[in-house]
């Protein structure tokens, strides 16, 4: 036989066999009402994998007549990882029977579980935190990093602290405290500015009495005091709105989620 034809035939056979080697079984339903994919809410309700923290989903594959393999995906910070579990046919049927004995999960039950599945929306939560607000980040080493949020890019938070700009990667974060919405009370601004201007004016008036400057300098000092008071009033107003706004806490690890929920 022509060596080129022999080589072509060998490559063709290998090309046909390799896909078969790559196959990892046919996907099977866990139950009819769950379907081919067990999601996070269903896992919490039916308690299939209660021991797997940050569970995302699971699928089941029939490897042979007596082996079912599940591939469980779970979230570690923002990265999805895979874990595998093996069942005999008897064990898998027993799991199916246990689930079938429970009432079907409802949308109300799903919604009640969903609020605790924050790890599934880490990127969305961090992306939607308004920049320019004060946040507190708990590092893996147990220390807190506090500062003004400058940006969230490439899975890193940039924070302006009093002394430097710090970059905190998601993989090093355990919790972040922030405020989803900053309250606005424009009708309060006049009061804040007025009080601050009066305080600034009062401080400079006290300075005038102690130093007894000339008439022109006296009014110059009063004017400066009022101006600085107005500037300080703006800062006090913004800070006050942040402080009275509802604080949100977001945990990135199972341990922190447990602390927040309890």
């Amino acid at each position: 036989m022509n060596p080129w034809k022999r080589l072509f035939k060998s490559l063709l056979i290998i090309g046909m066999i390799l896909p078969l080697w790559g196959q990892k079984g046919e996907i099977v339903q866990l139950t009819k009402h769950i379907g081919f994919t067990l999601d996070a809410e269903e896992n919490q309700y039916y308690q299939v994998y209660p021991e797997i923290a940050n569970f995302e989903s699971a699928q089941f594959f029939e490897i042979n007549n007596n082996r079912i393999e599940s591939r469980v995906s779970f979230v570690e910070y923002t990265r999805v990882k895979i874990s595998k579990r093996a069942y005999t046919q008897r064990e898998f049927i027993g799991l199916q029977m246990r689930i079938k004995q429970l009432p079907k999960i409802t949308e109300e039950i799903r919604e009640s579980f969903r609020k605790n599945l924050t790890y599934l929306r880490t990127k969305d939560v961090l992306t939607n935190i308004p920049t320019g607000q004060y946040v507190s980040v708990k590092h893996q080493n147990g220390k807190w990093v506090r500062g003004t949020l400058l940006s969230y890019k490439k899975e890193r938070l940039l924070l302006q602290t009093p002394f430097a700009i710090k970059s905190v990667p998601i993989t090093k974060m355990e919790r972040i405290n922030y405020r989803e919405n900053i309250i606005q009370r424009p009708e309060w601004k006049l009061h804040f500015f007025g009080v601050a201007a009066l305080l600034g004016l009062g401080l400079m008036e006290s300075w005038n009495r102690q130093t007894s400057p000339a008439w022109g300098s006296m009014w110059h000092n009063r004017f400066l005091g009022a101006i600085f008071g107005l500037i300080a009033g703006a800062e006090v107003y913004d800070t006050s709105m942040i402080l009275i706004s509802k604080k949100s806490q977001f945990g990135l690890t199972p341990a922190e989620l447990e602390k927040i929920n309890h």
Side-chain angles (χ1 to χ4, degrees):
M1 181 184 290
N2 187 309
W4 290 107
K5 288 185 177 179
R6 185 179 301 166
L7 178 61
F8 176 76
K9 186 176 181 180
S10 299
L11 291 174
L12 181 63
I13 292 171
I14 292 172
M16 294 175 64
I17 292 175
L18 281 177
L20 296 177
W21 285 348
Q23 289 180 359
K24 296 182 179 179
E26 181 182 352
I27 188 170
V28 294
Q29 288 186 341
L30 185 54
T31 64
K32 284 186 177 180
H33 61 275
I34 290 177
F36 294 103
T37 302
L38 176 74
D39 62 33
E41 292 90 349
E42 291 166 340
N43 181 60
Q44 280 206 7
Y45 179 68
Y46 295 111
Q47 291 291 289
V48 181
Y49 296 110
E51 75 284 3
I52 296 182
N54 293 2
F55 177 96
E56 183 191 48
S57 64
Q59 291 185 320
F60 298 83
F61 298 83
E62 187 174 11
I63 305 303
N64 56 47
N65 290 335
N66 195 40
R67 181 183 172 87
I68 304 293
E69 185 178 275
S70 70
R71 286 156 212 170
V72 181
S73 63
F74 60 97
V75 179
E76 192 171 274
Y77 299 99
T78 58
R79 295 184 175 91
V80 177
K81 297 191 174 182
I82 303 294
S83 174
K84 294 182 179 181
R85 302 291 174 91
Y87 298 85
T88 63
Q89 280 284 0
R90 184 175 181 179
E91 290 171 338
F92 186 66
I93 291 172
L95 176 61
Q96 289 178 312
M97 294 300 294
R98 180 178 71 80
I99 292 174
K100 287 178 181 178
Q101 291 174 359
L102 296 171
K104 184 178 177 180
I105 187 170
T106 64
E107 281 303 315
E108 289 76 13
I109 294 174
R110 281 184 178 277
E111 187 61 33
S112 68
F113 285 138
R114 197 166 289 140
K115 64 182 180 181
N116 294 323
L117 301 175
T118 53
Y119 58 86
L120 295 177
R121 50 188 181 89
T122 299
K123 288 184 178 180
D124 291 337
V125 169
L126 296 180
T127 301
N128 290 326
I129 297 177
T131 56
Q133 71 157 283
Y134 189 80
V135 299
S136 304
V137 176
K138 185 179 180 182
H139 198 276
Q140 271 186 338
N141 59 17
K143 295 182 179 179
W144 286 86
V145 181
R146 297 177 173 85
T148 303
L149 178 63
L150 299 178
S151 68
Y152 166 61
K153 294 179 181 178
K154 298 180 180 179
E155 299 190 354
R156 288 175 177 270
L157 291 177
L158 282 183
L159 301 180
Q160 175 66 66
T161 68
F163 304 104
I165 294 177
K166 293 194 175 182
S167 174
V168 186
I170 291 180
T171 52
K172 300 296 183 182
M173 291 170 52
E174 289 195 345
R175 184 196 295 193
I176 180 169
N177 298 337
Y178 66 100
R179 290 168 173 82
E180 293 184 36
N181 297 297
I182 307 301
I183 292 174
Q184 296 297 325
R185 296 285 189 271
E187 65 277 11
W188 292 6
K189 283 186 177 181
L190 184 61
H191 301 290
F192 274 89
F193 289 0
V195 170
L198 287 174
L199 286 174
L201 185 63
L203 286 172
M204 294 311 295
E205 189 63 28
S206 175
W207 174 258
N208 285 337
R209 289 180 180 178
Q210 293 179 29
T211 58
S212 301
W215 183 86
S217 297
M218 184 180 297
W219 279 101
H220 175 74
N221 291 341
R222 290 169 180 166
F223 177 75
L224 285 180
I227 293 297
F228 283 125
L230 288 173
I231 295 172
E235 292 295 326
V236 172
Y237 170 79
D238 290 338
T239 303
S240 299
M241 294 303 100
I242 291 173
L243 292 176
I244 66 175
S245 298
K246 183 180 178 181
K247 183 186 290 185
S248 297
Q249 301 181 83
F250 183 75
L252 284 83
T253 65
E256 289 300 319
L257 283 171
E258 185 75 16
K259 291 177 183 177
I260 292 171
N261 293 331
H262 292 84

